[in-house]
Amino acid sequence: MTIVILGCGGFIGSHLIRKLLSDSELDIIGYDVNDYKIHEHLLHPRFNFRKENIYESTSLETDIEGAYSVVFLASLCNPSLYITRPVETIWSNFLNPSKIIDLCTKYKIWLTAFSSCEVYGRTLSSYVKNNNEEFFLQKERETPCLLGPTVNTRWCYAAAKQLMEHYILANSREKDLPFTILRPYNFFGPRMDYVPGVDGNGIPRVLACFFNALRTGNPIKVVDGGSAKRVLTYIDDAINAIFKVILNPDKSIGEIFNIGNPENEISILDLAKLMRTTYAEITGKNKYAEHPIMNVSARDFYGDGYEDCNRRVPDISNAKKKLGWIPTIDLETTVKRTLEFYNNKYKLANID
Ligand code: NAD
Ligand code: UGA
């Protein structure tokens, strides 16, 4: 059986390919415009890589028609780009994905689509100050999706992902598309992002921003005091969930799963502090434990149109019940393993 993975050369895709090649017997057809994160797999006999833009491919329809399942990862998913490149953000998260959804619908091929916890937007607790669980715990089929005003283009990604989900659900309802929707919560781990000025430019996601501050000696910048909270999910835990989805269509088709570790909630300010003490431990250099942390406004850091998700805690009872999935990697281990990888990869640039 062949699985088609769209966006296989990215962070999640690179870990998923490794897992599928080592622990399953599935053949893989993978599409990506980049292959630098998956070099080691390119010659594997069960991996057929197509280095091309999926929306310009002439083989995509045939590949989808013959697939056991399609896993759809490809997207632009970096918050700074929601502000500077909103048109591309909307194309890559809704307008273009609708073509993949149409193809899967045409051939009735099971589509596993990557949405995001960002579809929930802000929590009720950010509008109505209340710390009761029902004001912040996010349940796939119950919690409302609350986005800020459209002039804040930060929300264009979340809105596009919401529309992608609606289009999948509509095609399932009217045209029997078999689907699974996954909503990841801040996966952390090796190969997550580029480091600015080394292998990319601009503002990456928070891990690479903070790591780059540590390695270059610049202050860690926390946006608006770092009061926003995230749950960090170690990539191995996340991949185990995705693997269980792929191997269990009977338990996954028709489902929406939050994939996140609710035990690993942390404020961004505390993440900055945890990363600097962990980095001191890894490098054996105490000075990193006191690395400067600087407050910056969202407008100065991202530009006009940014607004933050204040908090997002997943209810994962559906994944627990249907898949038997429970994340096990705690916050400290998540940060330590990720930083070890980054330090190892980029250590030549360390400044003493
Ligand atoms: P990523 O940016 O690392 O990977 C995406 C890959 O898709 C990249 O390698 C990119 O080159 C490829 N791609 C994009 N457009 C393409 C096109 N037209 N043709 C061919 N290749 C294309 O992202 P990721 O972190 O692996 O995330 C994957 C998916 O999961 C995305 O849909 C994202 O929205 C979703 N998601 C991820 C997280 C997370 O924590 N990483 C959280 C929430 C949602
Ligand atoms: C991310 C992205 O939208 C997607 O990759 C994905 O869909 C989703 O969330 C996810 O990973 O689940 P976000 O968590 O806001 O969004 O992105 P990060 O760049 O990781 O930022 C996290 C927090 O750190 C935000 O509050 C941001 O303002 C803050 N931040 C970021 C800083 O304080 N300093 C920085 O240098 C960078």
Side-chain angles (χ1 to χ4, degrees), residues 60 65-66 127 138 168 194 211 226 234 242 245 282 287 307-308 315 327 332 335:
L60 184 71
E65 186 181 2
Y127 294 103
Q138 296 170 334
I168 290 170
Y194 63 88
F211 170 75
Y234 191 61
I242 300 163
V245 165
I282 289 171
K287 65 173 187 176
E307 189 182 329
D308 212 344
D315 176 340
E332 288 70 24
V335 169

Side-chain angles (χ1 to χ4, degrees), residues 77 82 116 118 157 186 205 221 223 230 306 308 312:
C77 51
Y82 313 161
S116 170
E118 290 224 359
Y157 168 82
N186 290 74
R205 287 172 285 192
K221 293 181 180 170
V223 172
R230 296 290 186 269
Y306 184 79
D308 212 344
R312 40 202 204 201

Side-chain angles (χ1 to χ4, degrees), residues 281-300:
E281 210 183 290
I282 289 171
T283 57
K285 293 175 183 163
N286 288 338
K287 65 173 187 176
Y288 288 117
E290 299 302 321
H291 195 88
I293 295 175
M294 180 180 138
N295 185 30
V296 288
S297 73
R299 177 188 282 229
D300 287 346

Side-chain angles (χ1 to χ4, degrees), residues 198-219:
V198 180
D199 49 6
N201 288 305
I203 304 175
R205 287 172 285 192
V206 66
L207 159 78
C209 288
F210 286 3
F211 170 75
N212 200 34
L214 287 164
R215 69 176 267 288
T216 56
N218 290 312

